[in-house]
Amino acid sequence: MKKTLIALSSLLVVMPAFSGVHTYAEGQSPAAIPETDQVIIHYEENVVSKLAESETVATPGEDADHLATLEVPDNKSIDIFIEDLEKRKDVESVEPDYLVKLDYAANDPDLIDFQYHHKTIESSLAWDVTLGSSDVVVAVIDDGIDLNHVDLKSQIVSHYNMVEGKSFTKGEHGTHVAGIIAGVMNNKTGGAGIAPKTKIMAIDVFDGDYALISDIVEGIYKAVDSGADIINMSLGSYFPSTALEKAVQYASSKGVVVVAAAGNDAISEAHYPSSYNSVISVASTTSGDGRSSFSNYGSTIDIAAPGTEIFSTLPNDGYGWMSGTSMASPVVAGVAALLKAKEPSLKNTQIADRLYLTAKDLGTKGKDTKFGNGRVNAKNALMNIDKTVPVVPSVGVVTDSTTSITGKTELNAKVIAYAGKTKLGEAVAKNGKYTMKIAKQKAGTGISLYAIDAAKNKSANKTVTVIDKTAPGIPTVNPVSNKSTTVTGKAESNAKVYAYAGKTKLGEAAAKSGAFSLKIAKQKAGTIISVYAVDAAKNRSGTKNIKAADKIAPSAPSVNSITSKTTAASGKAEKGAVITVYNGSKKLGQSTASSTGTFKVKISAQKKGASVKFYATDKAGNRSGSKTIVVK
């Protein structure tokens, strides 16, 4: 890639300096990396105008001709330069072309058992199945490889240099990594690789101790387009890059297995490219299957492999030890190569799943932040032997209205659910998550779930109780009057029934066997009484409103004296009541009491000594007793 680039000088926009702030666990921080003096530009699609001084990054497909690099001018900071460029209409985005360091840690060549990692991952038993295949190519994107090393020269199928102006080098780091993957076997020299018949594509992206992301991006595209089946990147940084992420996504979309070192700073900070979803992130273990002290950890770790004091090839037909996730990553890449040789039709995602499912579980049961899915095992992977019991399925809340249950367990394990001896359903945990359709179950029902993996390993049971989330039906309530001292009716069996008048609680009672009777104080006619039920699960029904009927008869009217000359009888009664006057069975007249309770009823004059009776009937139809007046 072009390194000497002419800088722009016409854009004069000032912005705050780029902070570059990152947080690291346990008070540690990654080893210092020099600042880059170059940026990666993402051009808008279908642009006509481009920066003449930029250098296009070789990318296929939709990114072709839309990705380029440009050197930062000497008189500007990288962050000001980025903002200047982002002001342009033909630029979609700009990011620093960060420098990336090799992921190896200091080593002490004092190991008796030179290649203990083969015993750890059971390589010899895997070799009984296959030694790999010359049809499988692993691209080693690194600092170059000694192409003439006695253990590697017959393994190299091609080599490329991504750094313009620099010749291909026989890097110490890259040579060591290549030997771990595919060092020749049975030549009576040195050790052997994990997949000794696999071929290596050597891609040099480093210029000294560092590499630009843009060169790594080009290396990835070159590896994919040149026919690599697997890519190993024992390198990384703590700076996310859109260009790098798109490159690994491109590789994954083309079926390439991408493996990368998780980093050697003993922190949980996201590390790239290993933290990208389409990359197998590899942590490092010791000869005793412990976590290497330098190995990064965290939620993005997928798998672990031996990485402490690994014996492999070095330039000029040399051999030696190195430690780091840089060494662990090619161990996994080598096992992936064996798998690809044995089962060529496996997709990259299937190879990753096989590695995870057949790994030896270390640390916390199931996937954890130190070892991911466990330490890789070559024998188990090739024989598809999985002796790890799946994680007990997790399950969300299940209610009596639930028709599907969801949760998590081992990747691709089958989850089965039962209620007693009745099978409710089953589902496969794709990507470790499952969704299972079930029929609605009664509240209180116990549901048992367990997971079975491809090797027929069965997890322990997970039992959940169906929660009652169905509200009781609205209670039925018998008529209530202003004479009532109880409210009766029917509601859900054993639910508690409450009665209110406005905000005033009148009483409560349990609906034993579905019937209830609660005591209340007498209420005025017309009072609205609200009744509802609450079940044992605290679900509340709707409300039944009932009006207190008027069932109390008015008092008998008081009547003024009547003479034989009276033609209008008067007196007092309940206001609004209808006053009716009779002489025997003969109705003499009728009128309504006023708002003050007075009334006057027109009648015909009655004979002296006649008995005239007066009745009051209220609005509810209740009739008072009679008041008899003798005519004077």
Side-chain angles (χ1 to χ4, degrees):
M1 176 175 286
K2 185 175 179 181
K3 297 300 177 191
T4 305
L5 302 170
I6 301 172
L8 292 175
S9 59
S10 59
L11 301 176
L12 301 173
V13 180
V14 179
M15 68 176 284
F18 177 67
S19 64
V21 176
H22 291 266
T23 303
Y24 302 101
E26 302 176 359
Q28 301 186 50
S29 62
I33 298 177
E35 271 193 29
T36 181
D37 61 354
Q38 189 164 291
V39 297
I40 301 175
I41 304 169
H42 299 254
Y43 286 112
E44 293 286 354
E45 292 186 12
N46 303 317
V47 296
V48 176
S49 172
K50 288 187 179 181
L51 302 171
E53 301 84 354
S54 63
E55 179 73 11
T56 301
V57 178
T59 58
E62 62 180 17
D63 282 335
D65 299 325
H66 292 291
L67 199 64
T69 60
L70 187 64
E71 193 172 83
V72 179
D74 292 337
N75 62 344
K76 286 189 179 182
S77 66
I78 187 170
D79 28 309
I80 291 177
F81 189 52
I82 286 175
E83 186 177 8
D84 290 347
L85 292 174
E86 287 179 336
K87 296 289 184 180
R88 294 178 60 103
K89 292 182 179 180
D90 58 346
V91 172
E92 177 183 335
S93 64
V94 185
E95 61 180 279
D97 192 0
Y98 292 115
L99 292 161
V100 176
K101 69 184 182 68
L102 291 167
D103 269 333
Y104 63 90
N107 61 78
D108 183 5
D110 192 20
L111 193 65
I112 297 174
D113 186 358
F114 285 0
Q115 289 192 313
Y116 75 87
H117 60 281
H118 285 308
K119 180 178 180 181
T120 299
I121 70 169
E122 298 189 281
S123 299
S124 60
L125 294 174
W127 292 333
D128 289 340
V129 179
T130 181
L131 294 174
S133 169
S134 58
D135 292 331
V136 177
V137 177
V138 179
V140 176
I141 298 179
D142 215 288
D143 65 348
I145 295 173
D146 184 350
L147 303 178
N148 294 310
H149 194 288
V150 64
D151 260 348
L152 295 175
K153 61 184 178 181
S154 62
Q155 311 295 71
I156 310 296
V157 292
S158 56
H159 65 279
Y160 306 98
N161 179 33
M162 298 294 107
V163 184
E164 186 174 328
K166 169 185 168 286
S167 59
F168 189 92
T169 57
K170 49 183 178 182
E172 183 177 85
H173 187 271
T175 301
H176 199 269
V177 167
I180 294 172
I181 297 171
V184 170
M185 178 184 279
N186 296 325
N187 65 347
K188 299 181 180 180
T189 304
I194 304 293
K197 287 194 175 181
T198 297
K199 297 302 179 182
I200 295 292
M201 180 187 298
I203 300 180
D204 186 358
V205 296
F206 277 80
D207 189 359
D209 292 333
Y210 299 100
L212 287 166
I213 283 179
S214 52
D215 289 334
I216 297 171
V217 167
E218 281 201 289
I220 293 170
Y221 285 117
K222 173 62 75 174
V224 176
D225 296 341
S226 299
D229 299 291
I230 300 164
I231 293 175
N232 183 83
M233 288 185 283
S234 292
L235 47 79
S237 78
Y238 297 90
F239 303 104
S241 163
T242 301
L244 183 57
E245 185 174 15
K246 283 187 174 182
V248 295
Q249 287 173 346
Y250 172 75
S252 181
S253 71
K254 295 297 184 180
V256 176
V257 178
V258 184
V259 188
N264 299 320
D265 295 294
I267 60 175
S268 61
E269 186 77 3
H271 182 265
Y272 305 98
S274 59
S275 289
Y276 291 128
N277 290 334
S278 49
V279 179
I280 298 174
S281 177
V282 186
S284 175
T285 59
T286 65
S287 59
D289 263 348
R291 171 179 161 263
S292 299
S293 60
F294 51 78
S295 182
N296 281 2
Y297 54 92
S299 60
T300 60
I301 300 299
D302 294 310
I303 199 167
T308 296
E309 296 292 352
I310 302 300
F311 185 83
S312 183
T313 50
L314 291 173
N316 305 314
D317 289 341
Y319 300 87
W321 293 264
M322 283 189 178
S323 294
T325 54
S326 276
M327 285 62 252
S329 181
V331 170
V332 173
V335 177
L338 291 176
L339 259 179
K340 187 68 175 175
K342 176 177 178 283
E343 301 176 56
S345 63
L346 284 181
K347 297 179 181 178
N348 53 356
T349 53
Q350 293 174 316
I351 289 174
D353 288 349
R354 180 78 66 80
L355 293 174
Y356 303 156
L357 291 172
T358 59
K360 179 180 180 181
D361 193 15
L362 301 177
T364 304
K365 188 172 181 61
K367 189 175 188 294
D368 59 45
T369 58
K370 293 181 179 179
F371 306 100
N373 290 283
R375 192 256 301 134
V376 69
N377 184 291
K379 178 202 74 175
N380 288 353
L382 265 65
M383 297 181 180
N384 201 13
I385 297 174
D386 175 11
K387 292 185 178 180
T388 302
V389 175
V391 177
V392 176
S394 67
V395 61
V397 174
V398 182
T399 74
D400 52 358
S401 62
T402 296
T403 57
S404 66
I405 53 179
T406 60
K408 296 180 180 179
T409 187
E410 181 181 290
L411 185 74
N412 292 328
K414 182 182 289 184
V415 180
I416 303 173
Y418 279 85
K421 294 183 178 180
T422 302
K423 183 177 178 181
L424 301 182
E426 62 180 54
V428 175
K430 295 179 180 179
N431 300 318
K433 299 179 181 179
Y434 70 89
T435 298
M436 181 193 306
K437 291 183 179 180
I438 63 168
K440 290 182 181 179
Q441 301 297 304
K442 290 183 180 180
T445 300
I447 297 179
S448 296
L449 304 97
Y450 59 85
I452 297 180
D453 61 21
K456 306 302 180 183
N457 299 306
K458 178 181 174 181
S459 75
N461 284 2
K462 172 71 174 180
T463 301
V464 294
T465 301
V466 177
I467 298 173
D468 182 359
K469 285 294 183 181
T470 301
I474 297 174
T476 58
V477 183
N478 297 322
V480 179
S481 75
N482 53 353
K483 296 172 68 176
S484 298
T485 57
T486 59
V487 176
T488 61
K490 293 183 178 181
E492 182 180 290
S493 184
N494 296 322
K496 187 171 285 187
V497 181
Y498 297 85
Y500 278 80
K503 293 183 178 180
T504 302
K505 182 179 178 181
L506 302 181
E508 65 179 63
K512 295 180 180 179
S513 300
F516 68 89
S517 177
L518 59 88
K519 293 181 179 181
I520 64 168
K522 289 181 181 179
Q523 301 298 303
K524 290 182 179 180
T527 300
I528 302 298
I529 298 175
S530 299
V531 182
Y532 62 86
V534 177
D535 64 19
K538 307 302 182 184
N539 300 306
R540 175 177 165 167
S541 73
T543 301
K544 175 68 176 180
N545 291 321
I546 188 167
K547 184 185 290 187
D550 186 356
K551 291 295 182 181
I552 300 176
S555 299
S558 65
V559 185
N560 297 324
S561 62
I562 299 174
T563 70
S564 58
K565 293 183 179 181
T566 298
T567 57
S570 63
K572 289 186 177 181
E574 184 179 288
K575 62 182 181 180
V578 175
I579 311 302
T580 308
V581 185
Y582 283 88
N583 183 347
S585 61
K586 183 180 178 181
K587 183 178 179 180
L588 301 180
Q590 193 176 64
S591 72
T592 302
S594 70
S595 61
T596 59
T598 61
F599 67 86
K600 185 177 286 188
V601 183
K602 290 182 179 181
I603 62 173
S604 59
Q606 301 296 305
K607 292 180 180 181
K608 175 185 172 181
S611 293
V612 180
K613 292 185 177 182
F614 291 78
Y615 301 91
T617 304
D618 64 19
K619 293 179 180 179
N622 301 305
R623 179 174 166 171
S624 72
S626 64
K627 175 69 176 178
T628 302
I629 300 293
V630 177
V631 178
K632 295 180 180 181

